[in-house]
Amino acid sequence: MILPWLIFIPFIGGLLCWLAEHRNKTLPRWIALATMLLLSFFSLWLWWTGDYQLAPTPGATAVWAVEFKHAWIERFGINFHLALDGLSLLMIILTSLLGLLSVLCSWKEIQNHVGFFHLNLMWILGGVVGVFLALDLFLFFFFWEVMLVPMYFLIALWGHSGSTGKSRITAATKFFIFTQASGLIMLVAILGLVLVNYQNTGVLTFDYSQLLQATFSEGVGYILMLGFFVAFAVKLPVVPVHSWLPDAHAQAPTAGSVDLAGILLKTAAYGLLRFALPLFPEASAQFAPIAMLLGLIGIFYGAFLAFGQTDIKRLIAYSSVSHMGFVLIGIYSGSQQALQGAVILMLAHGLSAAGLFILSGQLYERLHTRDMREMGGLWSRLPWLPAISLFFAVASLGLPGTGNFVGEFLVLMGSFAHTPWVIVIATFGLVVGSVYSLIMIHRAYFGPTRAEGGLAGLDKRELVMVLGLAGLLILLGVYPQPILDTSAATMAGVQQWIGSALSQLVTAR
Amino acid sequence: MQFTTSHFAALLPLLVVAATAIVVMLNIAWRRNHSITFGISAIGLNLALLSVIPAVKAAPQAVTQLLLVDRFACYYMALILIATLACVTLTHAYLGKQQNEGFKGNREELYLLMLLACAGSLVLVSTGHLAGLFIGLELLSVPVYGMVGYVFFNHRSLEAAIKYMVLSAAGSAFLLFGMALLYADSGSLAFSVIGQAEASELMRLGIGMMLVGLAFKLSLVPFHLWTPDVYQGAPAPVAAFLATVSKVAVFAVLLRLYQTMPATSEGWLNTLLTLIAIASILVGNLLALLQNSLKRLLGYSSIAHFGYLLVALIASDGLADEAVAVYLASYVLTSLGAFGVVTLMSTPFKEQDADSLYDYRGLFWRRPYLTAVLAAMMLSLAGIPLTAGFIGKFYVIASGVEGHLWWLLASLIVGSAIGVFYYLRVMVTLFLMAPGLHRYDAPLAWGQQAGGIMLLAVAVLTFALGVYPQPLLDLVQHAVLATSL
């Protein structure tokens, strides 16, 4: 029974926030904080007590650490089916943690319509938790779309207007249309899969474990797989369909950026690992070279564009595109090590991007600009913040000792055996990564000062947020073993699907 | 023909509505009173809704050659009666309570016209005969001319009425010509007899002509030109009636026509319908992008929505019937909600309805619940989960995938993506900073009046069906067509 509560807690908490607004301006913040603490507590408790050796593997009936199932729409064989394994647990812990931070980092930033803001924030998180738990394809799509609307409001109503004169509403609408259209393509693919299965077996079902057994011809599988891939590619984002991301990030309030970069992008990677690969192993194996190429393009394209940005949040946004390229390569490499690396990288990027966005939000509160041309020389005017920014920047470029290094290293090392050339090129991505990270620090904090006078230092709330994130990143960098253990079983399953399909493909050639 | 109790039971909803219309007419002749007229209409419609239950028990039952009351007909009768009831309550809110405030002319006749049009729709959904189809359609359309032009001292309303009348008459002419061709070919006016006849080119031409006539009423591209003007000119509750009752009835009879006549889904007719569907989806959505009037926007969006519905009609087997039934139910709820908010914003009657988007700026911070209703309706029209619209869209896509209609699905996806843009535009307008001066505002106590309660019920139902649609799906599964008389 605990799984549905993980979803309901944020939804109920959000409603309470809205209702509480009439009484008091700060009450919604405390309710949201309590909601997120409760969610973190439950997810950590699940981690502490659960046994995550169970995960779906090919050829066997799917087994889960925790499962919940209730009939929902019998007409189509749709169930309210939730289940938890190591991967989804890690993602939920990340969600609750970043949820906590996004409540904290909007404590001073958001002053208008506080209750409605937190309603939207909580509902995004509820939708995301739903995506990570749903095992019925209809339910998965349901949550996939549910999280869009509050995110739209977050950007459209509390966002900043862009530095190039683009409005926040345009950015929010762009985000919505991209994800909604690609989501509908996924819906068509889901229905195609279900109906093909129905024609073969006579059972109308949207259930994940039953659809894993579905059989279809090669061409059909490839097209259906593409339908899923498009939706995930837009959200990840993969390069030709990434253009919503920088706009949405630049215009979103800090909490929105934290959630967008930290969690929403991860739902795409999760979707690939949970659905696209296991449901269509052969088609995915055929598609792997293209996906890896797209990943490579993403790494360099994101890095080069990040280098060229003047808006600090756009720079971080493009760096996300670059990092997600590594994740994509890891996912499609078909080796256990690289898959594990992709998981670590997802977590580490969630933490480091959240840190950078929170810091640039704090910078914005002090300077009222995100334009790096107007910064410069801040190191002498501001205590603490520049140094911490430097830490997150080097974490983002993958310095050993931080989680990002572990993730990238595992991805590169694991994939090298299968696809040496891709990895050789991808490694240079680390070099350009350090270029844009350091240029960000250089432009913003070094050089001549633009204005005189000190700026307010970080208060306790701000320090706790960023130092906590830094601590977690270091912990992930020096002792990632608990995380690796938790996700091992799931990744082993995924590896068997994609790995065997890849090796079949090699022998067939 | 022997007239038994089961015939009587099958005909009961129609009889009750007709009787109510007569009582209302006599009441107006005897003594004009707005509240009493409203009360009689509401009670009559509720009774008619209740009498659908005996009609379901008697179904399938042929009453004369013209009417065939089967479960399919009963489902759409219920839908039409609910929608009419909602429109009647909205009318009550719209015209205003006292004689000296609000609407200047006579109020009571609008109810009479609405009841007559409702009776026409009931005939339309339960007819299995071309003559019945024509009678029903005209009984539906003629009162609607009067309803659209009811605010005759407003030139927009008058213009809309004349435009609608002329084009509708042209549509009827096409329809009659098509019927004549079908009769010439098969020698019968009954759907089932025509359906069994060998499909000839003459028959296809006849069906094509009828399609044109019906497409006028459904405002499918390229027969859509009247829609935005009429939606804008008509008083808000009448626009709601036009968007819901009239379209549901015509689409139901189109579906029956298609399911009983195999010739409709062959050859160039199918291609024609596919082209109409694609054009409706794209043109409706694209033109809606440019609108600044909420009523015009809803008009264009309804063009697109009937384009989506055609996808299910073209798929025409498997899930198609259910898809149409579910989609229409969700569309009716959503349209009622959207037009309901427009109505309440325009109450009590002013010279012009509150339809410019500017009037809705920042409404959320003044009337949060009313705005939440409108926002939910926009999401439902866009087909976002947690709303009934999503279930409808899901069904339509499912039937399209089942029928392998990839081109139609592609245009549906493109259309939805465009659609999201303008629905979101409306939605975000509601939440922006309000302008200092506002011309229109819903009364503070809107939630305690019949119209307001109806609106809240619609919103709750939209949400409930979006989260737990199983009851509706059960109902729809039983709403099957009777195969023959």
Side-chain angles (χ1 to χ4, degrees):
Chain A
M1 255 324 272
I2 186 164
L3 295 186
W5 280 108
L6 287 181
I7 297 172
F8 293 147
I9 286 171
F11 279 105
I12 296 170
L15 274 181
L16 288 179
C17 289
W18 189 37
L19 295 176
E21 192 185 6
H22 300 292
R23 294 175 182 277
N24 192 325
K25 276 258 175 184
T26 43
L27 193 58
R29 302 184 200 276
W30 286 107
I31 294 176
L33 199 64
T35 312
M36 282 299 111
L37 280 173
L38 199 63
L39 189 66
S40 326
F41 169 75
F42 274 130
S43 50
L44 288 174
W45 179 74
L46 274 172
W47 196 17
W48 191 254
T49 55
D51 167 27
Y52 295 98
Q53 302 306 310
L54 296 175
T57 44
T61 44
V63 280
W64 305 93
V66 193
E67 202 173 355
F68 176 84
K69 195 170 183 176
H70 193 270
W72 185 21
I73 307 174
E74 284 107 349
R75 172 69 185 88
F76 287 100
I78 295 169
N79 291 302
F80 193 80
H81 189 183
L82 307 173
L84 189 75
D85 66 353
L87 179 63
S88 28
L89 179 78
L90 289 176
M91 290 297 131
I92 288 171
I93 292 174
L94 182 70
T95 308
S96 57
L97 184 71
L98 293 187
L100 211 56
L101 288 173
S102 46
V103 173
L104 283 175
C105 75
S106 39
W107 206 272
K108 289 225 179 99
E109 187 188 343
I110 304 298
Q111 294 298 339
N112 291 330
H113 313 304
V114 182
F116 193 55
F117 174 83
H118 285 93
L119 172 83
N120 285 310
L121 194 59
M122 293 296 109
W123 281 31
I124 296 174
L125 297 166
V128 171
V129 172
V131 164
F132 288 139
L133 287 177
L135 266 203
D136 190 283
L137 265 72
F138 183 86
L139 190 65
F140 173 73
F141 179 79
F142 187 85
F143 283 123
W144 182 263
E145 297 270 291
V146 160
M147 63 188 181
L148 295 186
V149 181
M151 192 72 214
Y152 171 82
F153 277 130
L154 219 57
I155 300 173
L157 299 182
W158 290 275
H160 313 283
S161 35
S163 41
T164 48
K166 286 181 183 172
S167 86
R168 53 185 199 266
I169 294 172
T170 320
T173 310
K174 197 170 174 184
F175 158 76
F176 200 101
I177 291 178
F178 262 84
T179 14
Q180 161 79 11
S182 62
L184 280 180
I185 296 176
M186 177 163 77
L187 180 62
V188 171
I190 289 175
L191 283 165
L193 174 66
V194 166
L195 289 174
V196 166
N197 185 49
Y198 176 62
Q199 274 159 12
N200 289 342
T201 61
V203 184
L204 190 60
T205 178
F206 282 74
D207 197 77
Y208 176 68
S209 49
Q210 274 172 287
L211 289 175
L212 279 178
Q213 262 97 48
T215 49
F216 31 73
S217 69
E218 210 169 87
V220 173
Y222 199 78
I223 289 175
L224 292 178
M225 187 278 300
L226 278 183
F228 278 80
F229 184 79
V230 167
F232 297 141
V234 167
K235 222 19 169 306
L236 195 56
V238 173
V239 155
V241 283
H242 67 287
S243 71
W244 61 270
L245 181 86
D247 290 345
H249 268 309
Q251 257 72 282
T254 308
S257 296
V258 168
D259 285 356
L260 206 57
I263 319 169
L264 257 66
L265 304 191
K266 273 54 185 189
T267 57
Y270 172 85
L272 285 172
L273 288 170
R274 171 74 73 223
F275 296 101
L277 295 188
L279 286 172
F280 314 102
E282 286 86 12
S284 299
Q286 279 179 14
F287 186 69
I290 302 175
M292 285 189 164
L293 183 66
L294 289 174
L296 270 185
I297 296 173
I299 291 175
F300 287 98
Y301 182 85
F304 284 130
L305 282 189
F307 180 73
Q309 299 304 315
T310 52
D311 183 327
I312 193 163
K313 280 179 95 178
R314 285 181 83 89
L315 190 152
I316 307 168
Y318 276 113
S319 82
S320 298
V321 177
S322 180
H323 284 124
M324 288 300 119
F326 281 104
V327 172
L328 193 64
I329 290 180
I331 289 173
Y332 275 93
S333 68
S335 93
Q336 163 92 2
Q337 221 169 16
L339 284 166
Q340 288 278 45
V343 173
I344 298 281
L345 191 54
M346 277 153 72
L347 295 175
H349 173 260
L351 299 176
S352 66
L356 284 171
F357 277 122
I358 290 175
L359 287 168
S360 59
Q362 293 173 353
L363 214 51
Y364 185 81
E365 280 176 33
R366 288 167 176 73
L367 295 172
H368 303 289
T369 179
R370 299 189 311 269
D371 193 336
M372 284 187 288
R373 287 169 299 193
E374 293 172 27
M375 295 177 184
L378 289 178
W379 200 290
S380 58
R381 296 172 62 198
L382 249 175
W384 285 99
L385 202 149
I388 299 170
S389 298
L390 182 63
F391 170 79
F392 279 104
V394 295
S396 161
L397 66 84
L399 196 76
T402 58
N404 304 56
F405 170 74
V406 179
E408 280 168 4
F409 184 73
L410 282 176
V411 167
L412 295 175
M413 198 166 81
S415 320
F416 189 73
H418 301 279
T419 50
W421 282 110
V422 172
I423 299 311
V424 168
I425 300 170
T427 312
F428 285 97
L430 292 179
V431 180
V432 286
S434 43
V435 174
Y436 67 73
S437 297
L438 294 178
I439 204 78
M440 173 178 81
I441 296 299
H442 179 80
R443 283 179 189 157
Y445 300 108
F446 292 100
T449 49
R450 298 287 153 135
E452 289 306 311
L455 294 162
L458 301 184
D459 62 19
K460 271 192 196 132
R461 169 183 64 90
E462 293 169 327
L463 266 183
V464 166
M465 284 192 294
V466 286
L467 287 182
L469 275 175
L472 284 173
L473 266 178
I474 293 177
L475 196 64
L476 197 60
V478 295
Y479 190 56
Q481 198 55 40
I483 308 286
L484 291 172
D485 287 343
T486 311
S487 66
T490 317
M491 287 304 121
V494 176
Q495 194 275 329
Q496 284 177 40
W497 266 299
I498 182 82
S500 63
L502 275 171
S503 54
Q504 271 174 20
L505 205 65
V506 171
T507 47
R509 279 174 189 159
Chain B
M1 194 191 87
Q2 198 77 32
F3 199 78
T4 62
T5 38
S6 91
H7 286 106
F8 183 71
L11 215 50
L12 203 54
L14 183 57
L15 291 177
V16 173
V17 171
T20 313
I22 293 170
V23 172
V24 166
M25 191 163 64
L26 291 176
N27 173 54
I28 294 172
W30 180 53
R31 201 168 113 198
R32 276 188 187 279
N33 185 315
H34 187 201
S35 303
I36 292 178
T37 313
F38 168 68
I40 295 173
S41 318
I43 291 168
L45 286 168
N46 274 311
L47 283 179
L49 196 57
L50 279 180
S51 67
V52 173
I53 297 168
V56 172
K57 294 219 174 88
Q61 176 72 52
V63 187
T64 72
Q65 280 194 322
L66 294 188
L67 296 183
L68 169 61
V69 181
D70 48 13
R71 283 168 177 273
F72 174 87
C74 290
Y75 173 78
Y76 286 103
M77 278 185 189
L79 201 56
I80 283 169
L81 286 168
I82 291 168
T84 314
L85 198 56
C87 291
V88 164
T89 49
L90 286 180
T91 310
H92 182 64
Y94 180 79
L95 293 178
K97 278 205 188 91
Q98 274 82 44
Q99 199 64 254
N100 50 5
E101 62 152 16
F103 190 69
K104 289 196 278 279
N106 288 326
R107 299 150 199 249
E108 292 77 11
E109 278 83 354
L110 193 51
Y111 297 97
L112 180 60
L113 292 173
M114 219 173 245
L115 287 168
L116 285 174
C118 173
S121 319
L122 296 184
V123 172
L124 207 52
V125 297
S126 54
T127 186
H129 197 273
L130 290 178
L133 191 160
F134 191 71
I135 294 171
L137 199 63
E138 291 305 299
L139 189 53
L140 168 64
S141 304
V142 175
V144 170
Y145 307 151
M147 283 156 66
V148 172
Y150 202 75
V151 197
F152 56 89
F153 38 79
N154 179 340
H155 74 275
R156 279 230 176 114
S157 174
L158 208 54
E159 180 198 323
I162 291 172
K163 197 173 261 182
Y164 184 60
M165 185 174 75
V166 171
L167 287 177
S168 184
S172 298
F174 271 102
L175 195 70
L176 278 177
F177 197 173
M179 286 178 186
L181 291 179
L182 285 185
Y183 184 70
D185 188 68
S186 63
S188 168
L189 286 175
F191 289 4
S192 52
V193 181
I194 301 173
Q196 279 153 16
E198 194 71 29
S200 67
E201 209 49 41
L202 192 63
M203 178 182 270
R204 293 214 185 95
L205 199 61
I207 294 171
M209 288 271 195
M210 284 187 68
L211 197 61
V212 172
L214 294 175
F216 261 112
K217 308 279 172 186
L218 293 174
S219 64
L220 295 166
V221 175
F223 313 107
H224 66 286
L225 293 170
W226 58 273
T227 317
D229 292 339
V230 172
Y231 273 51
Q232 194 182 17
V238 175
F241 187 87
L242 210 57
T244 54
V245 177
S246 122
K247 292 206 168 179
V248 167
V250 176
F251 203 89
V253 79
L254 185 66
L255 183 63
R256 192 192 285 272
L257 205 64
Y258 261 67
Q259 299 295 43
T260 38
M261 294 187 194
T264 49
S265 53
E266 292 170 4
W268 57 266
L269 270 176
N270 203 18
T271 320
L272 179 72
L273 203 62
T274 309
L275 287 178
I276 289 180
I278 292 176
S280 301
I281 292 172
L282 295 181
V283 171
N285 278 319
L286 282 174
L287 290 181
L289 289 178
L290 309 172
Q291 304 308 319
N292 280 321
S293 148
L294 187 56
K295 280 161 90 185
R296 286 181 83 85
L297 187 143
L298 286 170
Y300 280 114
S301 112
S302 93
I303 298 175
H305 277 280
F306 278 83
Y308 301 153
L309 263 171
L310 282 187
V311 176
L313 186 72
I314 294 167
S316 92
D317 51 23
L319 282 173
D321 288 2
E322 280 176 52
V324 170
V326 171
Y327 201 95
L328 278 176
S330 72
Y331 176 76
V332 163
L333 273 181
T334 313
S335 298
L336 284 176
F339 279 109
V341 175
V342 177
T343 311
L344 288 194
M345 280 295 284
S346 318
T347 52
F349 178 79
K350 293 192 182 89
E351 281 297 304
Q352 204 185 332
D353 287 349
D355 64 348
S356 139
L357 278 183
Y358 182 78
D359 296 329
Y360 291 83
R361 257 186 88 120
L363 187 66
F364 184 74
W365 315 116
R366 283 179 279 143
R367 300 277 182 280
Y369 295 101
L370 186 68
T371 315
V373 172
L374 187 56
M377 293 309 139
M378 287 298 138
L379 290 176
S380 181
L381 284 173
I384 308 294
L386 289 177
T387 59
F390 169 66
I391 304 296
K393 187 168 270 177
F394 171 76
Y395 247 110
V396 165
I397 293 179
S399 69
V401 172
E402 204 185 21
H404 303 288
L405 307 170
W406 306 120
W407 284 108
L408 283 168
L409 284 176
S411 58
L412 193 152
I413 289 174
V414 173
S416 311
I418 303 170
V420 163
F421 182 83
Y422 59 85
Y423 296 127
L424 287 180
R425 201 171 129 235
V426 175
M427 215 166 66
V428 84
T429 307
L430 301 172
F431 293 88
L432 289 176
M433 284 301 128
L437 183 78
H438 19 88
R439 284 180 296 160
Y440 295 96
D441 229 336
L444 265 176
W446 64 273
Q448 279 116 50
Q449 290 162 357
I453 292 166
M454 189 283 297
L455 208 56
L456 288 177
V458 163
V460 169
L461 207 57
T462 309
F463 176 74
L465 287 180
V467 176
Y468 189 64
Q470 188 61 32
L472 178 68
L473 305 193
D474 283 338
L475 199 67
V476 160
Q477 268 188 297
H478 297 295
V480 287
L481 280 164
T483 43
S484 63
L485 288 173

